[in-house]
Amino acid sequence: MDEPGPVLDGMLTRLRPVREQDLPRLLAILDEPEVAAWWRRSEWERVDEPGAQTLAIESGGAVAGCIQYSEETDPDYFSAAVDIFVGTAAQGRGVGPDAMRTLMAWLVDVRGHHRLTVDPAAENARAIHVYEGLGFRPVGVLKSYERVEDGVWRDALLMELLAEDFRRA
Ligand SMILES: CC(C)(COP(=O)(O)OP(=O)(O)OC[C@H]1O[C@@H](n2cnc3c(N)ncnc32)[C@H](O)[C@@H]1OP(=O)(O)O)[C@@H](O)C(=O)NCCC(=O)NCCS
């Protein structure tokens, strides 16, 4: 990670930089079947890449998951990509949408992004529903985009949002 990320308060969540002591909880969440199906542990191990920032999602004082953003800083292609996982125990209560909305508001209002993208697995109907609710629109299917296991690749759905389409409420 380049620099410590922000601390952001939403309606249901607080987003803040990941701490060393969060890792056992986050890795346990990544092992949960409902999360592992969509976010492989190897992805977590790759998050420490230039330009990517990972924030812990706290809900009710406990770590509920993670949210990540990476920024394309070339002024001619300025945009940000977002990804998220929420542990099974915290799902179904609006935590994921609130964390997304909170980070998106910061990316648009503070960082000045006019365009955001997400790329869920094409079969991840739940994530796609959440992203559509925030204003993302499907761009198209990215064929064989993501390796699930050796020799097995799955499609993703590229989705984009322009700042004026952001459904904040
Ligand atoms: C996707 C995720 C971030 C959503 O966060 P969440 O806190 O679970 O979201 P909520 O339960 O509050 O809301 C889910 C919404 O999807 C809907 N939903 C649930 N299952 C669904 C399905 N199979 N198909 C379509 N919609 C579905 C719910 O009805 C709800 O819609 P509503 O708010 O319009 O009523 C979270 O479930 C998660 O992290 N899942 C595992 C990892 C993952 O998929 N990450 C995204 C990678 S791109």
Side-chain angles (χ1 to χ4, degrees), residues 34 38 83-86 91-92 94-97 124-126 129-131:
E34 291 84 353
W38 306 115
D83 211 343
I84 184 172
F85 66 84
V86 172
Q91 293 180 10
V95 166
N124 193 348
R126 183 183 193 132
H129 175 87
V130 167
Y131 299 153

Side-chain angles (χ1 to χ4, degrees), residues 25-168:
R25 176 72 192 125
L26 292 172
L27 292 173
I29 290 174
L30 284 169
D31 280 340
E32 295 171 359
E34 291 84 353
V35 178
W38 306 115
W39 188 304
R40 291 157 303 121
R41 179 171 242 183
S42 58
E43 288 185 45
W44 167 260
E45 288 162 354
R46 288 204 301 265
V47 299
D48 199 15
E49 60 192 59
Q53 287 281 8
T54 304
L55 303 175
I57 302 170
E58 282 184 5
S59 178
V63 172
C66 243
I67 193 162
Q68 186 183 67
Y69 64 94
S70 54
E71 296 181 281
E72 171 54 70
T73 54
D74 181 334
D76 293 339
Y77 294 89
F78 195 57
S79 68
V82 183
D83 211 343
I84 184 172
F85 66 84
V86 172
T88 317
Q91 293 180 10
R93 295 195 266 120
V95 166
D98 185 72
M100 283 290 294
R101 197 175 285 116
T102 303
L103 179 62
M104 290 164 65
W106 180 80
L107 288 168
V108 169
D109 298 339
V110 178
R111 299 294 291 171
H113 287 285
H114 69 285
R115 181 172 184 276
L116 306 177
T117 60
V118 288
D119 55 5
E123 293 178 350
N124 193 348
R126 183 183 193 132
I128 291 168
H129 175 87
V130 167
Y131 299 153
E132 284 180 333
L134 293 163
F136 282 93
R137 292 185 191 157
V139 177
V141 173
L142 302 164
K143 302 294 286 183
S144 297
Y145 177 71
E146 175 182 43
R147 189 168 65 181
V148 184
E149 56 190 82
D150 275 352
V152 180
W153 296 80
R154 75 177 164 202
D155 297 347
L157 181 67
L158 177 62
M159 306 180 78
E160 69 182 1
L161 172 141
L162 297 181
E164 61 263 33
D165 298 327
F166 180 19
R167 294 191 201 136
R168 293 173 183 263

